[in-house]
Amino acid sequence: MSIAVSPACTRYQAALQRAITRTAELGVAVPTRMPVDGTWFTQELANELHRCLARHGLRLEDSAGQCLKWCHALVPILGEILGAEPLLTIGAHYHNGRPVFDPSADDIERWGRRGISAQDFAGRMGLNLHAWLTLPTGEFMDPTLMSSIAAFCDQPERAGTIVGGWLSDMDPVTHVPLAVGQAYAEALQRRTAVPLLAAALTREEMAPKMVLIAETGRQ
C-alpha cells in the first residue's frame, strides 16, 4: 500500500482550467475551487484513505477497471480526511506517449449531453475514458490506476498503490483533464443505461458492474 509521487506541471493546470470551462459550457454545475498552497499528496494521506475504506469493508485492490465509480465515491471521503473535497477529473491517460485512454473533447461533450451508448464500446474492451482526482493544491491523485495494471497486466505487486503528486511535462505517465466534477459523472449516469456509479459505499455497490479497461490492457 505505497504511493508513487511525480514532480510540478503548468500544462496540467492549463488543461484543468479548460476542462472546467468545457464542463460549465455543458450546463453542468462545476464545484468552486479554492486553490491552496503546499503538498497534500503524502504517504499518510494514502494510508488514511486505505484505513477509511477498510472500515467500510473495501479495498483499493478491488477497484481495477472501475476508475469512474471509485473516484466519484471517494470525493466525499477524501473531503472528510482533507477538510476540502478533491475535484473528480475525467479525461485521457497516456503512458510513455502512447494513448491508453484518449477520449476527445467532442466525446466528452457528446457524453455530457446524450450519455454513453453501445457504439462507444465498439472495437474496445471497455469505455474510452479515465477518471482520477485533483487535490485543492493542483496535485493529481489516481487511486485506481495501479490496481488496474495489477489486474490486467499481471503485476499483482502494484495492487492498492496510489499514484499522484505534481505531474511533470516529461512524466511517462500523463493525465489530461477534459471534464470535471461529480455533477458531470452523475449527468452521464442519468443519460446512460448501464451502471456507471455506486449508489452507496458498500461492497455490493462498489463491485464491478461494468469494466472500464483499455485496448492495451492498461487502465
Side-chain angles (χ1 to χ4, degrees), residues 13-26 30 87 89-90 108 176-180:
Q13 303 306 319
L16 183 66
Q17 188 54 55
R18 289 193 295 272
I20 291 170
T21 301
R22 180 179 300 111
T23 306
E25 288 174 348
L26 288 170
V30 176
L87 186 63
T89 311
I90 297 165
I108 292 293
V176 181
L178 291 170
V180 299

Side-chain angles (χ1 to χ4, degrees), residues 152-167:
F152 302 122
C153 299
D154 193 24
Q155 298 181 31
E157 69 281 0
R158 295 179 181 266
T161 297
I162 303 171
V163 295
W166 297 102
L167 275 169

Side-chain angles (χ1 to χ4, degrees), residues 9-16 89 132-134 138 140 167 169 175 177:
C9 168
T10 53
R11 190 162 60 183
Y12 181 85
Q13 303 306 319
L16 183 66
T89 311
W132 61 96
L133 301 161
T134 301
F140 89 102
L167 275 169
D169 289 342
H175 292 60

